[in-house]
Amino acid sequence: MVGLEDLIQGEAELGDESDDESFDEETGETKRKSNGANGRNGDLDDSSEEESDDDEEAARAIREGFIVEDEEEPEERERRRREKKKRRREEREEEEAVLDEEDLDLIGEAIPGFERRAPSEPKFKRLKRGHKEDFEARAPRGVDDIFDSDEEDDDMAGVGANRKRKPAGPLEDEFAGFIEQDFSEGEGREQEIDDEEVARTVRKGIAGVKNTAGLDENSLEDLREVFGDGEEYDFALDLQTQADQDQGRIDPSDPDGVSKAIELKDVFEPSQLAERMLTDEDMQIRSIDEPERFQIARKPYKHLVLTDEQFKEESIWISNFILLKKRLESDLREPFQKSVAKVLEFMITDEYEVPFIFQHRKDYLIHAAKVAVTPNPYNPNAPQYVVSAQKLLNQSDLWEIFDLDLKFRALVDKRNALQRTYENLTTYSGIHDEVFEEMLPVAVTMEELQDIQDYLHFQHSSRLADMAIANGTGANGTQRRPGSSRMIFEKVRNGNVYNLVRAFGITADAFAQNALKKEGRRQYTEDPAERPDEMANSDAVLDPPEYSSASQCLRAAKAMFAEEIFLNPKMRKVMRQAYYTSGVIECFRTEKGLRKIDEQHPYYEFKYLRNQQLGDIARQPGLFLRMLRAEEEGLVEIKIRLQNYESFKKRLYADLESDNFSEVADAWNRERRSALDIALEKLDNIMARGVKENMKTECENHVAKACRDEFTKKLDQAPYKPKGMMLGTVPRVLALSNGTGTFGREAICWAWVEEDGRVLENGKFLDLSTGDPEKGTKDGGDVEGFVELVMRRRPDVIGVSGFSTETRRLYEQLEQIVKLKNLRGAEYDNEEGQETSDKLEVVIVNDEVARLYQTSDRATMEHPGFAPLTKYCVALAKYLQNPMREYASLGKDIVSISFDPNQRYVPQEKVLKQLETAMVDIVNMCGVEINEAVSDSYTANLLPFVAGLGPRKAAQLLKAINLNGGVFATRAELVGDPEAHRVAAVGPRVWNNCASFLSIEFDPNETESDYLDNTRVHPEDYELGRKMAADALELDEEDIQAEQKENGDGAVVRKLIKEDAQEKVNDLILEEYAEQLERNFNQRKRATLETIRAELQQPYEELRRNFVMLSTDEIFTMFTGETRDSLCEGMIVPMSIKRVSDDQIEGKLDCGITGTVEGEEISTRMDVSAKQLFAPHQTVQAKIMSLHRKGLSAKMSLLEEQLRRPYRKEIDRMSDEWDERQEAKDKESMQEKNDVSGRTQRVIKHPLFRSFNSAQAEEYLGSQARGDCVIRPSSLGLDHLAVTWKVSDNVYQHIDVLEMDKENEFSVGKTLKIAGKYSYSDLDELIVNHVKAMARKVDEMMLHDKYQNSSKTETGKLHRFCTPFLFKKTITLTCIPERWLTTYTEANPKRSVYNFCIDSKHPGYFFLCFKAGQQSRVQEWLVKVIPGAYELRRVQYQDMQALCNGFKIQWQNMNLARAQRR
């Protein structure tokens, strides 16, 4: 029987020596092997035509009987046998070295630029190619060959068909390869063929010693005398074989080493294997019978085994944590704790995952109590009680328990480590520390354990160091070396100065006990008889030479006492409690923030924020995360302090000071307060950091869970349900999109998708506008074709979406066509049983998945010939058919979708973890048809989210199904069947988790098929289901046994279904069943019985909600990219004017919304019409007066009075929560700076003008597209302007524009000059013909295949995974940039290579980096981008092809000139 380990591809499979076919690595064609004398065996010495002719004549002579071969002697036969065996062994080794296509594809997928090999082509096609391609057919490449460079194979006979041959000898130039690659596709290939024909040299065959055909015996004997017979060194080979056997490298049963395994880790890089989940650890996860998610999450705590006491402690610890957020009645707290304990038992002992517990242990999540009812005298048979059920835990709570279990394990692990350290210390030094022994058992957080650890290392640092040395761990780096301050305190503790510390009259721990206000007697402070300065000057305290004066001793004693207070765990607990109950958060702007955060900046809402309670901040997690991001950017500083700090400190003084009234007591109290002040300053710092970090973690968790909740809503949607169909039925969809909606430029793409997901038809429309008979206008040219398509295909729904507000226009056009042409949906029977149909519905579809899909590699692989917009339509249709599958297909790209506005402030790993739990919940609620997953990749994408599985175990499951014939008949077969020779796909524990969520379609014609395998009923409850079915059919025990004996265990349920009697189970009284099970078997199954009843009637009934239509706000955001926060009434935004009439102006906002300005909002002057003030194509600043989100339109105002009142977001704040005084002071300061600068602020009426400086312009353009620009004032004076445009990310060019022929100092010059040689008449001409022209050239450069998206130092880097075998036709630069030029020339010593990369220090320039062979150094030339061209060494080139060829010509001319000078 095949075991689980056989499913793991840890080794490359070895070829079968009897296989007589091989596959070409390049083309995938089948090639026949021949073992005869004339066969091609891949050697370098078998291509001589003369020898081939001799061999054929000799063979013919033997066949015709003209030559009679001499009889072979026994020695000769033995020698030939050995040679034949040796040759066969060599052939087997060659075959074994070849990785199969599956392994190469597996690794290749992790490498950028990798393309799968084409499938095998028909043999007849190969015959048409003729002898030339057959001559160049490539031999298979093995493990030893796949990393060889191309040049190493150029001289071999078996070069690949796609390998380009280069001229050899003196014709070959060091840069000859440059110009070869830069012809257009057609003419370049013809030129290549011509060059190859001219440069190809005659290949001479060399007779090899293996080819002995035609040689007589004497010649063979002479040959053996010269070269030997191959057995001279057998003794050495035997010794090596024996050594390898001793080391376990060769199987003794296979002395030739044929079966030696080639492991993947011996060939490929660890990072490659890790990415494809093929490391040893991944293999172990596959093989261990434990849920994959459990293995990964509990990996750090494998060594930890919880005791019974710790298990009880954990249940209480987790219950207390969750109860803080739950609002449960007091009488439910005990049942809640028991429920948590039971869930932990399921997770830890039984290893059940959350979906299993929620589905099959639901009764333990509910508290059911019998409540007595008042007897009804009129109904004596009425029940005496009713069952009151209270839900204690939901699915989110179960996931939180899972996370808290991991945190508790970390807590116990650290506590155990501290306990071991303390026990070792006690054994070694014999000490007992009451503080440690008291605080360790009651520590319930990692912070408290860290406090205890800090205390232990401070209080016993010298003993710990001595113990480490004694144990031999002091010198190996495992023991931390104490800092210099710790060493000073250790000296004080062991010296005379510590007598002065004792004289403070109270220990740090006793003071902390007083401050903690716990139960127990108050510790009182005793005053010494002497004053502090007098005692410090006594011989009992002085400790020369370090502490030779009283002041030194007193400072050291205070520092020591303060450090003891600072590091006391109880004192830290006091401070932590104070901070969490009375702490406030305040935000202070920095100097950088003063300049950058203006009233329109998103950070302005907290620029002057003060006195924020921690509870208030916790309710606004996004606000705090934005504050932290602003602090990272250096714009603000967040401070956390204690409210009423002075009164808090006075209370601590009272706990520390003595109650005596004397001069000595006053002097000591002053020193005590001074020491406490030192300790409090350090405690404030560490507490503030800890609180800020904890708040950050909690806010991130809150936002991540909000993302999970939103994602759950998106997943919890059934397929779109046409009227009259059952919920869950997959519809047939016609999806359309007009993309950006530019009329005349972009067509309307459409795709027809069947219910099984196949795309049967697609196409394009240009005009779907409907005509108006009253006005005499006709329908658009494609309306008739659209109607014909709908009538022919009969879709259930039409889906529409796009990238702009123009999609709303397409939606309205389709609605109009459906209405006018009376297009109907699918027919169905109404309540009266009559066949009817409704108007075909047009739906606007959420496109967040489609936007990612259209440019993905998956879309290219599934639909290689489709346009991106057509792929977008396919994804829209599939989203309507099953949203859950579309989200599952995204994999880790799911984090690219925004589920919460603050999601970008949370680490992706944390968000991804929460999103995965949502996917797991919904996938297990819906189940996965296991046999369908084998053939359908979309269904297979769901398997990793099934309970017990994960990506590794899901892949293993699919492989097991294929090994078992590609189908499973029952769920039981998943664990294997040795008698039937079926491989086990999962182990028993994993099977327990996943069995009920993997369904198998019931086939009534198959005797093995079990109806319950197609339900949510777990196999452990099959007997209950069969019992319920028997009771519903009123069968007795004899009937049941007879039925099962004839038709198997599932016969009763089969009979129930066959007789269509499922509704009879509704007559069963399940309460009695449940009571009997709990009483007799201690099993709580009330909810399970309800599930069985429902599944017997409707197996895997659709439990998701109906498909949710997008809300108005969601459609608005999808089409415009704006939210309620980013675009609302009162905002002033640019508007591009489209039409102007006397009393109305129509325009477009940047987001695509239509803006309308009515007459009263245009101007206050009644004598001037709108046409006199404004013109089409002009961009103006306008204020939004009202916003119609559904209609994607807005009412605007151009009145100066409105524009002078800028928008300011209203924030509800208390009077003491905003520092208005500092705000006013900063505004005044900024105004003074502007006045002092003396620069007159220019205002130019142009849509691109902004009153920015260079830094503000760069910040503004940071989020804009490449090529965008702003016009701004120049610091060179009023006759200059500056234009800043975005060359690339973080690269901006500032262009100085000289204005000439100005009417006045504020007007724009009639002539605009740049660099003294470019002149323009206005700003629009300058932008189009200068800036945009350069931007187009930058785009052309960056899209060229010779461009590297990296800096000059990075260009010339090649990722080590990008090996030459991936680049057969053309070396493409899609690899990760790491020493590309150098590595390439090292791998290809005879070639030269060049690339372009951006010069980030000089915007507008690019580096042309090149390396002329392996021995040459990397050189670079500067390429300047100018309007409409490139400039290289003062020569202009119009496009990239001309630039590349011009570079090569310049380089060749330089080499010729250099050679002539020599």
Side-chain angles (χ1 to χ4, degrees), residues 612-729:
Q612 290 293 299
Q613 300 286 338
L614 294 183
D616 296 335
I617 289 292
R619 286 187 287 271
Q620 304 178 74
L623 174 65
F624 188 67
L625 293 177
R626 290 194 295 275
M627 291 168 63
L628 291 173
R629 178 62 60 86
E631 187 176 43
E632 291 176 6
E633 296 172 3
L635 301 178
V636 300
E637 181 182 0
I638 301 173
K639 294 183 179 180
I640 301 178
R641 63 174 179 82
L642 275 177
Q643 241 177 352
N644 304 319
Y645 182 71
E646 291 301 322
S647 61
F648 172 75
K649 190 160 62 172
K650 287 179 181 178
R651 289 197 301 271
L652 293 180
Y653 285 162
D655 293 328
L656 180 64
E657 295 174 346
S658 70
D659 298 333
N660 299 326
F661 295 95
S662 66
E663 184 180 348
V664 173
D666 291 342
W668 276 106
N669 283 337
R670 282 195 296 272
E671 299 301 330
R672 293 177 186 123
R673 288 195 295 270
S674 177
L676 180 59
D677 289 342
I678 296 172
L680 286 178
E681 183 178 357
K682 300 177 73 173
L683 283 168
D684 284 335
N685 291 333
I686 192 172
M687 289 299 123
R689 286 200 305 271
V691 169
K692 184 189 292 187
E693 193 61 33
N694 286 342
M695 286 290 295
K696 177 184 178 183
T697 302
E698 286 302 314
C699 289
E700 287 178 348
N701 291 339
H702 191 281
V703 172
K705 289 178 180 177
C707 293
R708 168 194 152 81
D709 294 340
E710 184 63 26
F711 188 39
T712 300
K713 293 178 184 177
K714 292 177 181 290
L715 291 172
D716 191 13
Q717 299 181 82
Y720 171 83
K721 176 185 173 295
K723 194 169 182 180
M725 292 189 181
M726 184 183 299
L727 184 64
T729 303

Side-chain angles (χ1 to χ4, degrees), residues 730 752-760 863 874 878 881 938:
V730 178
W752 165 259
V753 182
E754 282 281 356
E755 56 262 49
D756 58 2
R758 291 178 300 143
V759 183
L760 298 185
H863 308 290
V874 172
K878 291 189 175 182
Q881 291 179 336
Y938 273 78

Side-chain angles (χ1 to χ4, degrees), residues 285-326:
I285 292 175
R286 283 179 169 89
S287 61
I288 294 177
D289 184 22
E290 181 183 352
E292 183 170 327
R293 275 175 283 274
F294 279 7
Q295 293 188 57
I296 295 172
R298 295 172 179 172
K299 178 184 174 183
Y301 317 111
K302 280 184 177 180
H303 60 282
L304 184 65
V305 179
L306 298 179
T307 64
D308 292 341
E309 290 299 321
Q310 289 172 340
F311 185 82
K312 294 178 182 177
E313 179 190 357
E314 179 180 9
S315 64
I316 297 173
W317 185 81
I318 293 179
S319 299
N320 294 335
F321 193 93
I322 299 180
L323 275 172
L324 294 174
K325 309 172 191 177
K326 290 271 187 182

Side-chain angles (χ1 to χ4, degrees), residues 512-799:
Q513 183 71 27
N514 291 341
L516 199 56
K517 301 289 190 302
K518 293 182 67 175
E519 294 181 3
R521 190 169 59 84
R522 172 183 167 83
Q523 303 291 322
Y524 292 95
T525 305
E526 299 294 335
D527 293 321
E530 297 178 283
R531 291 170 53 89
D533 51 350
E534 295 173 355
M535 180 175 285
N537 203 29
S538 64
D539 293 338
V541 174
L542 292 173
D543 195 3
E546 288 88 352
Y547 307 104
S548 55
S549 66
S551 60
Q552 288 178 332
C553 293
L554 191 57
R555 281 199 304 272
K558 283 197 296 185
M560 183 69 188
F561 189 53
E563 193 72 11
E564 289 181 339
I565 294 174
F566 167 65
L567 287 164
N568 186 271
K570 296 178 184 177
M571 190 61 207
R572 289 194 175 184
K573 190 171 185 178
V574 170
M575 292 297 294
R576 193 170 285 113
Q577 289 177 351
Y579 264 86
Y580 279 111
T581 55
S582 304
V584 293
I585 294 179
E586 297 182 325
C587 195
F588 297 88
R589 56 94 185 134
T590 62
E591 284 300 317
K592 182 180 178 182
L594 172 63
R595 298 189 306 272
K596 285 203 167 187
I597 304 178
D598 58 14
E599 291 191 5
Q600 307 304 319
H601 200 284
Y603 294 162
Y604 195 81
E605 62 177 327
F606 51 77
K607 185 176 182 180
Y608 302 103
L609 198 62
R610 303 286 189 270
N611 297 323
Q612 290 293 299
Q613 300 286 338
L614 294 183
D616 296 335
I617 289 292
R619 286 187 287 271
Q620 304 178 74
L623 174 65
F624 188 67
L625 293 177
R626 290 194 295 275
M627 291 168 63
L628 291 173
R629 178 62 60 86
E631 187 176 43
E632 291 176 6
E633 296 172 3
L635 301 178
V636 300
E637 181 182 0
I638 301 173
K639 294 183 179 180
I640 301 178
R641 63 174 179 82
L642 275 177
Q643 241 177 352
N644 304 319
Y645 182 71
E646 291 301 322
S647 61
F648 172 75
K649 190 160 62 172
K650 287 179 181 178
R651 289 197 301 271
L652 293 180
Y653 285 162
D655 293 328
L656 180 64
E657 295 174 346
S658 70
D659 298 333
N660 299 326
F661 295 95
S662 66
E663 184 180 348
V664 173
D666 291 342
W668 276 106
N669 283 337
R670 282 195 296 272
E671 299 301 330
R672 293 177 186 123
R673 288 195 295 270
S674 177
L676 180 59
D677 289 342
I678 296 172
L680 286 178
E681 183 178 357
K682 300 177 73 173
L683 283 168
D684 284 335
N685 291 333
I686 192 172
M687 289 299 123
R689 286 200 305 271
V691 169
K692 184 189 292 187
E693 193 61 33
N694 286 342
M695 286 290 295
K696 177 184 178 183
T697 302
E698 286 302 314
C699 289
E700 287 178 348
N701 291 339
H702 191 281
V703 172
K705 289 178 180 177
C707 293
R708 168 194 152 81
D709 294 340
E710 184 63 26
F711 188 39
T712 300
K713 293 178 184 177
K714 292 177 181 290
L715 291 172
D716 191 13
Q717 299 181 82
Y720 171 83
K721 176 185 173 295
K723 194 169 182 180
M725 292 189 181
M726 184 183 299
L727 184 64
T729 303
V730 178
R732 298 168 298 176
V733 183
L734 175 62
L736 300 94
S737 176
N738 58 352
T740 57
T742 306
F743 185 78
R745 292 186 184 177
E746 195 160 7
I748 301 170
C749 291
W750 59 270
W752 165 259
V753 182
E754 282 281 356
E755 56 262 49
D756 58 2
R758 291 178 300 143
V759 183
L760 298 185
E761 193 176 356
N762 68 91
K764 295 181 180 180
F765 296 128
L766 292 178
D767 187 3
L768 291 178
S769 59
T770 54
D772 188 346
E774 296 180 359
K775 295 182 179 180
T777 58
K778 296 182 179 181
D779 291 341
D782 292 314
V783 172
E784 184 178 348
F786 173 78
V787 173
E788 185 276 333
L789 174 66
V790 172
M791 297 299 292
R792 176 165 48 88
R793 287 297 185 181
R794 303 303 298 266
D796 297 318
V797 63
I798 297 176

Side-chain angles (χ1 to χ4, degrees), residues 1155-1203:
T1156 304
V1157 186
E1158 301 296 342
E1160 63 273 11
E1161 296 294 339
I1162 297 175
S1163 174
T1164 57
R1165 295 180 58 182
M1166 305 301 295
D1167 58 331
V1168 180
S1169 69
K1171 290 183 178 180
Q1172 293 176 286
L1173 297 174
F1174 302 98
H1177 309 299
Q1178 182 182 356
T1179 301
V1180 296
Q1181 295 293 108
K1183 188 171 187 177
I1184 302 175
M1185 305 306 294
S1186 65
L1187 186 59
H1188 185 209
R1189 295 179 181 274
K1190 185 174 182 179
L1192 301 176
S1193 61
K1195 297 291 185 182
M1196 314 294 292
S1197 175
L1198 297 174
L1199 295 177
E1200 292 184 7
E1201 178 186 358
Q1202 294 288 353
L1203 297 178

